[in-house]
Amino acid sequence: GENVEQHPSTLSVQEGDSAVIKCTYSDSASNYFPWYKQELGKRPQLIIDIRSNVGEKKDQRIAVTLNKTAKHFSLHITETQPEDSAVYFCAATGGTSYGKLTFGQGTILTVHP
Amino acid sequence: DAGITQSPRHKVTETGTPVTLRCHQTENHRYMYWYRQDPGHGLRLIHYSYGVKDTDKGEVSDGYSVSRSKTEDFLLTLESATSSQTSVYFCAISKQEGGNTEAFFGQGTRLTVV
């Protein structure tokens, strides 16, 4: 089955800096890679996703890149703000997996004012 | 919230008792999932359903069973609760046929087994 590794487990940045979170996956059949943000006590919420036919996707201050050859994908947050502080999860799914998501272990992002 | 409701939101139960968690959706989605969330592990799939009466095991299914007798309801049962099943449980739905698309989560159920 799929295995997703996520790094770093914690990330601390100053407001205005950029933050990068990286994930690797093992199953070459995976073709959909979402990123979720989870605030304390809340449900995970989708913030951006990318499919395997695309190398990069942007949405305002966040972007995701995908390298299918190396089987890794990354989340980039620019001009970080305190409200970006949360736990971020990457995930992967694809092939005949019925949409089952395999998640990374999560990254606790703290943005200091 | 994609019309997903979990109940109860919080539960404390004793070791050895059966517990059932309910996930209810209002948008007639075919695919539903149960995940558990534990520190250091992210979210892990327990069971999933790809239609009424169609279910299968996920990564961490031991000690759990599920049922889906109606499109809108997906029940997760802990047959005999253990302390290792203390966790936050999230139900999710996938909005399009064939999966591989956006998943939306319920609010979660915090279960404590004492």
Side-chain angles (χ1 to χ4, degrees):
Chain A
E2 176 67 278
N3 182 54
V4 177
E5 297 288 332
Q6 182 173 346
H7 298 280
S9 56
T10 61
L11 181 58
S12 183
V13 300
Q14 289 296 127
E15 183 176 1
D17 288 350
S18 294
V20 180
I21 303 171
K22 299 182 179 181
C23 290
T24 61
Y25 62 98
S26 62
D27 188 350
S28 57
S30 290
N31 58 14
Y32 175 66
F33 307 92
W35 285 89
Y36 287 85
K37 175 183 180 183
Q38 187 179 28
E39 297 176 346
L40 190 64
K42 301 289 181 65
R43 75 187 81 191
Q45 294 199 297
L46 181 72
I47 56 171
I48 194 168
D49 56 15
I50 192 167
R51 300 183 189 277
S52 59
N53 58 349
V54 175
E56 182 176 5
K57 183 177 179 180
K58 289 183 180 180
D59 183 2
Q60 299 182 341
R61 295 187 297 107
I62 61 174
V64 57
T65 59
L66 172 65
N67 183 326
K68 285 192 300 181
T69 303
K71 295 201 192 102
H72 67 70
F73 56 112
S74 300
L75 177 71
H76 304 253
I77 306 174
T78 59
E79 300 173 17
T80 53
Q81 301 168 3
E83 50 265 39
D84 294 329
S85 296
V87 182
Y88 291 81
F89 293 97
C90 62
T93 187
T96 57
S97 66
Y98 294 103
K100 297 177 293 180
L101 291 169
T102 300
F103 284 86
Q105 297 87 343
T107 297
I108 302 171
L109 174 64
T110 304
V111 181
H112 299 281
Chain B
D1 65 358
I4 307 169
T5 305
Q6 290 184 232
S7 59
R9 294 293 314 281
H10 302 271
K11 186 169 182 67
V12 179
T13 193
E14 293 186 349
T15 299
T17 60
V19 176
T20 296
L21 309 182
R22 180 183 184 229
C23 179
H24 178 77
Q25 58 139 333
T26 59
E27 299 185 2
N28 207 35
H29 298 296
R30 179 179 172 190
Y31 295 88
M32 299 184 75
Y33 314 85
W34 277 106
Y35 292 89
R36 62 176 287 174
Q37 184 174 28
D38 305 289
H41 291 278
L43 291 97
R44 292 178 293 174
L45 182 67
I46 305 170
H47 280 278
Y48 66 101
S49 171
Y50 46 97
V52 173
K53 296 191 186 331
D54 291 322
T55 66
D56 206 349
K57 297 178 180 180
E59 177 187 0
V60 290
S61 60
D62 286 350
Y64 302 94
S65 62
V66 290
S67 66
R68 193 164 176 205
S69 58
K70 300 183 290 184
T71 298
E72 57 266 35
D73 289 326
F74 191 32
L75 305 180
L76 176 70
T77 297
L78 288 65
E79 305 290 347
S80 177
T82 68
S83 58
S84 64
Q85 293 176 312
T86 293
S87 187
V88 180
Y89 292 85
F90 285 99
C91 174
I93 59 93
S94 180
K95 279 205 157 185
Q96 295 183 26
E97 290 295 311
N100 303 334
T101 58
E102 297 180 36
F104 292 85
F105 288 84
Q107 324 96 301
T109 296
R110 182 172 294 277
L111 177 68
T112 303
V113 184
V114 298

